[in-house]
Amino acid sequence: MQRLPFQGVRVLDSTYVFALPYAGGLLADLGAEVIKIEGPGRIDVTRGGAWSGAFPENTPGEDWWNRSSTYNLLNRGKKSLTLDLSNPKARALFADLVKVSDVVMENYTPRVMKGWGLDYPNLRKLRPDIIMVSNTGYGHGNGPYSNYPAQATTQEATHGHCAVTGYIGGPPSKAGQSFVDFLASWTALFGIAAALRLRQRTGQGQWIDIGMYQCGVMFLSEFLMDYIANGRVAPRIGNRHPFRAPQGVYPARGEDQWVVLSVGSDEQWRALCDLMGKPHLAHDPRFADSLSRLKNHDALDEIIRAWTSQHDRYELMYRLQEVGIPAGPVFNARDMHIDPHYRAREFLEYVEYPPERGMGRRPLIGRPWKASATPARIQGPAPRLGEHNEAILVGLLGLTPEDLQELEKAGIISQVPRESRLEPRVSPEEMVRRGILAEWDPQYRQRLGI
Amino acid sequence: MPNGLLEGVTVLDLSQGIAGPFCARLLGDYGAEVLKVEPPTGDYLRRVGPFFHDDPHPEKSLFFLVLNLNKRGITLNLETELGRRLFLQLVERADVVVESFPPGYLARLGLDYPRLARHNPRLVMTSLTPFGQTGPYSPFAGEEIVSYAMSGIMAISGTTDREPLKHGGNQAQYDAGLLSAAATAIALFSAGATGQGEHLDVSITEVVASTLVGNQPYYAFMGGIQGRRQPKGTLLANPMPCKDGWVIVQPGGGATWEDIADFLGRPDLKDPKFSTNEGRRVHGEELDAILLDAIKERGRWELFREAANRRILFGIVQDAKDLAECPQLASRGFYREVEHPVIGRVKVPAVLCNFSLTPYTLRSPAPLLGQHNAQVYCQELGYSREDLVRMRQLGVI
């Protein structure tokens, strides 16, 4: 077994929802010991709230808080400790953990950690070379929005994503699901790895202050430059491209089946005309050159649509790619699980849950990159709430079993959440009727071999 | 005081376009020495707008400028014997190579990772491609929209009465660039401990697919397939028009549903039928009508500030103008000014995040094509001025 990059690195992960919990999950894939800390009265909303996703066979079960799909994907391979940080005793334990850890991650609004005396200047006193990561909506500091509450849904509007996303002539549109969270995830991974490297060289730690907003704005750099230098605010162009034409998403044979293609040269355009069985179109003055194609895009779309709708989306992909035209089907969640390319690259990794958890074996998103010398892997299931309370508090900090009982009695630690945050469930058929799901596939287990 | 977060790291950036150059720029932003290695014809992004004052001059692409800050630049033709030899000399002194050639291209030139690693075992090579180095689609042509479609994110973007919708701009490319910077930093940390570098294979499509943490396990846990939004009854948590723009309000966070009703001045929102997520979905169209009516006479900035006072999750749709003038970004030092030899002085989006010990530094604008040829080939690799001229004449640089 080769050495994983973060072997021997201990991470305190006092984070919620998507962004930093996912970064923590990936650190665990890469060998770090990641301790997820939640309050018994403030469990992660991905365990049962609006972002919890699905439960195995749509059945929350008695310990629903350990069984949601989103929680289990993001928090794989971690240890779970409950600590009610609003209690000073819990904060003392947290401080003791900081002394034996390398990285602390948190995503409270700026005033919270400061109020608890757990901000960077204080953590540094406990462990001078600690690396601390804070992720907030708008970033720490004295800016007007620094203490504004935020989540991806509202941030995609503020960071500029919605303004450039939407059908031509239509309203600004939200991303399909949270997007900006993951920019903060990757930023945190970058920061932690680079800061650990610097610590390896100099022995110094530091504080990494991430504002999701800022990460999101960075991804619109070309739009910002066009305004700064040219005073232009670009319109929404739907699925089109500023200079490649035709480009778009077109219906393929079957219900809700789509293919995208993008033509960037006269050569590709001629090849497309040939594929469509309309070689004469290559000389049609409306479409013969690139500027004309941009101008007459609507007419072009109609012609392409008439052709694509007669063919299977995979067939279209292969035929278009064969002549060098960038193209591919619009994949949904099922496609991602069964497509031969995703399978060949083992993008999804199977996680086996212990029998007593009644969750079986499930494929989960691995990592978006492959490394030749350090073969990371999902190290194990996400933990049950408080599963490692004893291992950490007794095993690592040296508390006695009696101390543990005291803490439990005082409600500082627990394996059961203090209050239920479970969203009510309806049947899969009803989810489809209400538009929560586009489709339900009762055969999914056979397809996945689970 | 360390000389930057990534002090002591040398990067050769062979990549073109958006994803790879953004990765290399981030490494440079935080202290790595980045040398951009372009073919004599230049990175194709030099020909992509926006251009400064809409002048499509080869040195005035603002897109190229912003993705190649903090780099020096040389030209080098890898398809010549001498070009490859020069490249290997550079590799011996480098810690990282970032590249975005089609899979197999570097191997055909004899410059694939195993061969580069023979010259420099500590080398980290980061390869960014649309579909990755392996698998049946590896040789396929990519484009932003194709990565979007095949990542799965387009299937859940847009509305059910219309076609799937791509996100605006080049989100997949930036996303892959940022992730690649993270993967590279991880490999550098690992190499610092083991002395061994490695090859990183980043698929741009998979980077976007990796963000589908709600969508993917919905299928794996119960066979659920998510789709696009309903065209009606879903205005909550979607942009909706107010007097002077668009706003978005979301339940959750520190505020209750009652708080939202009070904030909007609409007691009818307190009807029990709206009190749960489920109820708000079932009675969505009715809810849409109340929300639209409640905000139609109100201004977005007033709403934004007032919602924050009440701890309500709230956003306003900001465009490039709003963002260029944003006081929050100013307070974070997000924009910096750069002096470019052809463009002049211009403001650029610069700072990804803040590091307390090793802050962001803007050390140079994007390089002009071949700007540092003499510096690198003569001063650093020891070739003479006469050799430099010959290399130019032979199409090597």
Side-chain angles (χ1 to χ4, degrees):
Chain A
M1 175 69 194
Q2 276 160 304
R3 190 185 171 279
L4 287 170
F6 293 121
Q7 226 161 287
V9 172
R10 183 176 291 135
V11 179
L12 297 187
D13 171 359
S14 184
T15 71
Y16 294 84
V17 201
F18 290 168
L20 289 194
Y22 197 19
L26 295 174
L27 291 172
D29 290 2
L30 293 156
E33 178 190 0
V34 182
I35 301 173
K36 184 176 175 84
I37 300 173
E38 293 162 277
R42 195 185 188 279
I43 60 169
D44 198 331
V45 295
T46 59
R47 288 179 179 272
W51 295 283
S52 54
F55 289 92
E57 304 354 304
N58 200 31
T59 309
E62 268 172 40
D63 66 332
W64 51 265
W65 57 87
N66 295 323
R67 290 165 51 85
S68 80
S69 62
T70 313
Y71 165 76
N72 275 283
L73 166 56
L74 298 176
N75 297 285
R76 74 277 194 98
K78 297 183 186 176
K79 294 178 176 171
S80 173
L81 169 69
T82 47
L83 273 185
D84 178 0
L85 290 174
S86 66
N87 186 308
K89 272 188 200 154
R91 294 201 290 275
L93 292 169
F94 187 90
D96 288 342
L97 283 171
V98 171
K99 291 177 196 159
V100 293
S101 297
D102 304 284
V103 177
V104 174
M105 306 199 298
E106 60 91 13
N107 67 331
Y108 299 96
T109 35
R111 59 197 155 74
V112 175
M113 289 297 266
K114 202 169 180 180
W116 286 339
L118 296 174
D119 53 352
Y120 178 66
N122 282 301
L123 293 195
R124 214 183 148 175
K125 285 180 208 150
L126 298 165
R127 171 141 184 169
D129 67 350
I130 196 80
I131 291 164
M132 179 180 186
V133 184
S134 299
N135 178 41
T136 51
Y138 293 96
H140 282 247
N142 302 316
Y145 312 154
S146 283
N147 275 299
Y148 278 24
Q151 234 151 24
T153 299
T154 54
Q155 283 228 319
E156 278 146 22
T158 56
H159 81 66
H161 189 101
C162 293
V164 297
T165 300
Y167 299 113
I168 295 173
S173 176
K174 223 201 84 54
Q177 60 146 55
S178 295
F179 185 73
V180 69
D181 273 291
F182 306 99
L183 317 189
S185 298
W186 311 156
T187 302
L189 280 183
F190 168 71
I192 290 168
L196 280 168
R197 176 186 173 274
L198 190 68
R199 193 187 72 164
Q200 194 178 53
R201 294 165 64 92
T202 68
Q204 291 167 288
Q206 58 181 318
W207 178 48
I208 307 167
D209 160 21
I210 303 171
M212 287 209 304
Y213 177 60
Q214 207 168 328
C215 302
V217 176
M218 185 73 101
F219 278 40
L220 298 168
S221 289
E222 69 273 30
F223 295 101
L224 300 168
M225 293 312 297
D226 204 14
Y227 177 76
I228 290 167
N230 303 322
R232 184 179 295 116
V233 174
R236 285 182 282 282
I237 57 170
N239 292 316
R240 288 188 184 164
H241 190 277
F243 56 88
R244 296 172 66 94
Q247 173 177 296
V249 55
Y250 301 94
R253 195 170 61 210
E255 202 188 325
D256 203 26
Q257 305 284 298
W258 305 87
V259 70
V260 299
L261 61 87
S262 179
V263 167
S265 68
D266 292 337
E267 194 190 354
Q268 289 177 0
W269 167 239
R270 282 192 294 271
L272 177 61
C273 294
D274 288 344
L275 277 183
M276 293 195 293
K278 294 183 185 322
H280 59 279
L281 276 184
H283 313 292
D284 186 320
R286 290 176 299 162
F287 313 126
D289 65 82
S290 46
L291 284 179
S292 303
R293 287 194 290 278
L294 276 170
K295 219 171 285 167
N296 298 304
H297 210 307
D298 288 343
L300 205 45
D301 281 350
E302 225 167 285
I303 295 165
I304 297 169
R305 217 177 283 134
W307 173 64
T308 56
S309 55
Q310 306 300 312
H311 300 275
D312 174 75
R313 58 190 184 145
Y314 269 93
E315 179 204 331
L316 289 164
M317 170 181 77
Y318 283 113
R319 289 178 63 188
L320 288 159
Q321 286 282 356
E322 205 180 358
V323 296
I325 299 173
V330 172
F331 284 157
N332 66 19
R334 176 174 49 213
D335 298 324
M336 183 198 275
H337 286 79
I338 61 180
D339 175 77
H341 185 72
Y342 276 99
R343 286 211 156 162
R345 285 178 61 79
E346 297 180 0
F347 177 67
L348 301 172
E349 293 176 4
Y350 282 79
V351 175
E352 185 86 47
Y353 289 87
E356 65 272 19
R357 290 183 65 172
M359 292 174 60
R361 189 168 162 262
R362 308 279 164 181
L364 295 175
I365 291 172
R367 286 151 313 287
W369 79 99
K370 316 254 178 230
S372 61
T374 52
R377 215 191 174 289
I378 297 179
Q379 300 292 314
R384 289 180 285 113
L385 183 70
E387 182 176 341
H388 302 91
N389 284 350
E390 189 179 341
I392 294 162
L393 297 175
V394 177
L396 188 60
L397 293 187
L399 270 60
T400 64
E402 292 73 45
D403 295 336
L404 217 59
Q405 278 174 6
E406 294 267 306
L407 291 170
E408 228 166 281
K409 231 180 282 164
I412 292 171
I413 64 169
S414 176
Q415 299 199 328
V416 176
R418 204 173 289 153
E419 57 190 276
S420 178
R421 288 180 181 220
L422 181 63
E423 289 267 311
R425 299 281 137 180
V426 296
S427 71
E429 291 87 352
E430 182 62 16
M431 288 189 199
V432 173
R433 206 181 62 75
R434 291 186 190 175
I436 300 167
L437 293 179
E439 200 188 326
W440 177 54
D441 179 3
Q443 259 85 56
Y444 83 99
R445 296 184 69 165
Q446 288 95 303
R447 282 191 224 282
L448 297 178
I450 59 172
Chain B
M1 202 49 187
N3 193 15
L5 179 66
L6 290 168
E7 66 164 21
V9 174
T10 300
V11 179
L12 297 177
D13 174 17
L14 265 65
S15 68
Q16 297 188 37
I18 305 167
F22 184 50
C23 165
R25 188 203 114 172
L26 290 170
L27 302 174
D29 284 352
Y30 293 100
E33 286 291 326
V34 183
L35 181 61
K36 187 168 180 85
V37 182
E38 293 178 81
T41 47
D43 182 341
Y44 70 79
L45 203 70
R46 290 182 180 275
R47 299 185 284 280
V48 176
F51 290 91
F52 185 72
H53 291 177
D54 286 330
D55 175 9
H57 180 285
E59 293 293 354
K60 290 189 182 175
S61 165
L62 297 164
F63 210 164
F64 179 83
L65 167 71
V66 80
L67 292 176
N68 293 284
L69 299 169
N70 284 327
K71 300 179 189 177
R72 294 189 301 158
I74 57 171
T75 51
L76 184 60
N77 185 352
L78 291 175
E79 302 201 345
T80 64
E81 199 55 47
L82 181 57
R84 290 191 283 276
R85 214 160 115 195
L86 292 166
F87 179 64
L88 287 175
Q89 285 178 265
L90 292 168
V91 165
E92 277 164 21
R93 305 152 170 246
D95 302 283
V96 177
V97 168
V98 178
E99 65 93 11
S100 60
F101 293 112
Y105 175 78
L106 285 177
R108 283 195 292 280
L109 297 181
L111 299 173
D112 50 348
Y113 181 73
R115 274 180 277 196
L116 297 186
R118 248 178 267 151
H119 289 259
N120 179 357
R122 297 177 62 95
L123 184 73
V124 173
M125 180 156 111
T126 307
S127 297
L128 300 87
T129 53
F131 302 102
Q133 302 292 312
T134 61
Y137 307 159
S138 179
F140 279 6
E143 256 303 310
E144 174 74 7
I145 194 171
V146 177
S147 282
Y148 247 82
M150 295 174 77
S151 71
I153 205 167
M154 256 176 104
I156 56 169
S157 298
T159 51
T160 52
D161 59 335
R162 295 282 306 261
E163 67 276 18
L165 180 66
K166 177 187 162 297
H167 296 175
N170 295 282
Q171 305 295 312
Q173 310 300 316
Y174 284 99
D175 205 2
L178 174 54
L179 182 280
S180 297
T184 305
I186 292 166
L188 282 168
F189 172 61
S190 189
T194 63
Q196 192 195 351
E198 57 186 325
H199 185 202
L200 306 174
D201 167 11
V202 180
S203 150
I204 295 168
T205 307
E206 283 174 5
V207 174
V208 181
S210 297
T211 68
L212 297 184
V213 303
N215 182 269
Q216 181 268 321
Y218 227 116
Y219 188 77
F221 274 52
M222 63 170 281
I225 299 168
Q226 297 181 317
R228 305 188 288 289
R229 262 166 223 270
Q230 302 292 323
K232 285 180 180 164
T234 51
L235 267 187
L236 188 66
N238 254 322
M240 45 187 183
C242 66
K243 194 172 91 184
D244 57 355
W246 300 80
V247 301
I248 186 165
V249 63
Q250 192 192 13
T256 63
W257 180 250
E258 305 254 301
D259 294 335
I260 293 179
D262 290 338
F263 158 63
L264 294 174
R266 291 301 294 245
D268 45 348
L269 289 178
K270 293 186 185 173
D271 188 308
K273 70 183 169 195
F274 296 130
S275 64
T276 62
N277 276 332
E278 194 188 348
R280 294 190 281 269
R281 197 176 286 125
V282 174
H283 303 282
E285 292 197 36
E286 210 178 321
L287 183 58
D288 280 4
I290 298 173
L291 292 171
L292 286 175
D293 190 55
I295 59 167
K296 69 178 184 215
E297 296 302 333
R298 297 179 71 175
R300 58 179 183 150
W301 294 107
E302 169 247 320
L303 285 166
F304 189 40
R305 279 186 289 267
E306 182 55 26
N309 286 339
R310 294 169 185 248
R311 314 293 311 148
I312 291 167
L313 295 169
F314 195 86
I316 57 174
V317 172
Q318 296 198 92
D319 63 18
K321 178 176 190 292
D322 297 321
L323 295 170
E325 294 162 0
C326 172
Q328 179 68 18
L329 292 172
S331 79
R332 302 271 299 166
F334 176 69
Y335 293 103
R336 300 291 163 100
E337 287 222 327
V338 68
E339 180 81 41
H340 184 276
V342 178
I343 291 171
R345 224 174 156 67
V346 66
K347 184 166 101 169
V348 291
V351 182
L352 180 71
C353 70
N354 295 337
F355 292 86
S356 63
L357 181 67
T358 50
Y360 172 94
T361 49
L362 180 52
R363 303 186 305 281
S364 71
L368 304 176
L369 186 61
Q371 186 181 344
H372 301 94
N373 280 349
Q375 196 179 86
V376 170
Y377 294 121
C378 300
Q379 288 168 35
E380 292 169 25
L381 295 188
Y383 288 87
S384 68
R385 278 278 171 177
E386 290 76 16
D387 287 338
L388 197 70
V389 171
R390 287 186 198 113
M391 287 179 202
R392 175 76 191 110
Q393 288 165 165
L394 291 165
V396 175
I397 62 169

